[in-house]
């Protein structure tokens, strides 16, 4: 099946969205809340494009990360109306987090580096893209969610308290495109959402690994063997290589 994106013919798969098809064809559409490992949420609307299907009388604006391709679909990623909407969207996001580097980079895409909206007081760097809550949900934890309304909406654990359900996996902080979730790692601990987690260490090289709570959760919920997380990835890789070469690795216990 073929579609046209900005006049270029692009071959697509039937499960493609406009965003996945465009990226495979090397056509850049900016996005903020999209991640290939998560269900799409259409939360940021930065990926707005115009589409036109056979039989329609006019083009329609849609989010590229959600819109499924159709035969003979025509897509416009940088038309005047797309840039106008995208500029307003980014402008509103910048009012929430004017100094944020990820947003500054996006604003360059629409050649409009400053917000015309009054900045939201004390909003921090969060742009409510919901990647963190979706990542947490996908982990099966649901430790954080959106609270408040309007300008006061924010991501936090239930009642703003240390979340019982958090296992210190750090997925929320690592996936955050604006880097606004504080995650502190030392060789012994991981601190996030006000909770301190003890870390597991590789039995071979002693390198710090995931939190013990994350290991316990993964072993219990993913039916993994008890000893699945005894070694770090690097030592596992070396051990496999050594096994092929007929060597053995030294394991330090304790
Ligand atoms: S990337 Fe499509 S709505 Fe956010």
């Amino acid at each position: 099946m073929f579609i046209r994106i900005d006049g270029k013919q692009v071959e697509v798969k039937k499960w493609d969205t406009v965003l996945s098809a465009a990226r495979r064809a090397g056509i850049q559409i900016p996005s903020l809340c999209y991640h290939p490992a998560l269900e799409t949420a259409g939360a940021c609307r930065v990926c707005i494009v115009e589409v036109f299907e056979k039989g329609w009388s006019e083009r329609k604006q849609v989010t590229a990360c959600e819109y499924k391709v159709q035969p003979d679909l025509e897509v416009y990623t940088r038309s005047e109306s797309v840039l106008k909407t995208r500029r307003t969207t980014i402008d509103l996001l910048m009012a929430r987090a004017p100094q944020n580097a990820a947003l500054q980079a996006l604003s360059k895409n629409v050649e409009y580096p400053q917000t015309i909206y009054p900045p939201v007081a004390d909003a921090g760097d969060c742009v409510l893209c919901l990647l963190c809550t979706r990542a947490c949900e996908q982990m099966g934890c649901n430790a954080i969610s959106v609270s408040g309304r309007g300008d006061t909406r924010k991501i936090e654990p239930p009642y703003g308290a240390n979340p019982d359900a958090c296992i210190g996996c750090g997925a929320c902080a690592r996936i955050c495109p604006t880097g606004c979730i504080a995650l502190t790692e030392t060789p012994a601990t991981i601190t996030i959402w006000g909770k301190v987690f003890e870390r597991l260490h590789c039995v071979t090289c002693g390198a710090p690994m995931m939190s013990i709570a994350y290991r316990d959760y993964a072993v219990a919920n993913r039916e993994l063997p008890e000893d699945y997380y005894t070694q770090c990835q690097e030592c596992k890789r070396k051990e496999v290589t050594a096994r092929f070469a007929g060597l053995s690795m030294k394991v330090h216990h304790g």
Side-chain angles (χ1 to χ4, degrees), residues 72-182:
D72 301 322
L73 182 73
E74 286 176 35
V75 182
Y76 304 87
T77 73
R78 291 189 68 82
S79 65
E80 210 174 300
S81 100
V82 163
L83 288 181
K84 192 167 170 231
T85 306
R86 199 179 287 154
R87 188 172 291 147
T88 306
T89 305
I90 294 173
D91 218 4
L92 284 164
L93 290 169
M94 283 190 81
R96 281 197 68 88
Q99 301 308 324
N100 189 273
L103 283 181
Q104 298 273 357
L106 273 179
S107 76
K108 286 205 182 101
N109 182 283
V110 288
E111 290 132 29
Y112 192 80
Q114 276 177 346
T115 179
I116 55 166
Y117 297 99
V120 175
D122 303 327
D125 274 346
C126 178
V127 289
L128 293 173
C129 69
L130 309 185
L131 275 171
C132 57
T133 52
R134 283 182 284 149
C136 189
E137 188 183 338
Q138 186 135 318
M139 288 297 295
C141 297
N142 291 305
I144 49 174
S145 58
V146 185
S147 70
R149 286 166 187 272
D151 282 358
T152 66
R153 285 176 86 212
K154 61 177 172 183
I155 306 292
E156 63 177 3
Y159 311 110
N162 300 353
D164 285 343
C166 180
I167 53 172
C169 70
C172 55
R174 290 192 184 94
I175 208 167
C176 174
T178 64
C180 70
I181 298 176

Side-chain angles (χ1 to χ4, degrees), residues 19 23 30-35 40-48 63-66 129 134:
L19 187 66
R23 291 202 168 161
S31 67
L32 196 61
C33 72
Y34 169 77
H35 193 285
T40 50
C44 73
R45 306 196 67 78
V46 164
C47 67
I48 208 89
T63 45
C65 67
E66 294 183 297
C129 69
R134 283 182 284 149

Side-chain angles (χ1 to χ4, degrees), residues 26-64:
I27 298 166
Q28 290 312 315
I29 298 174
S31 67
L32 196 61
C33 72
Y34 169 77
H35 193 285
L38 299 176
E39 290 276 313
T40 50
C44 73
R45 306 196 67 78
V46 164
C47 67
I48 208 89
V49 293
E50 273 189 309
V51 290
F52 184 80
E53 285 185 31
K54 231 184 196 161
W56 288 5
S57 57
E58 56 184 27
R59 298 179 191 175
K60 197 163 92 175
Q61 287 196 351
V62 298
T63 45

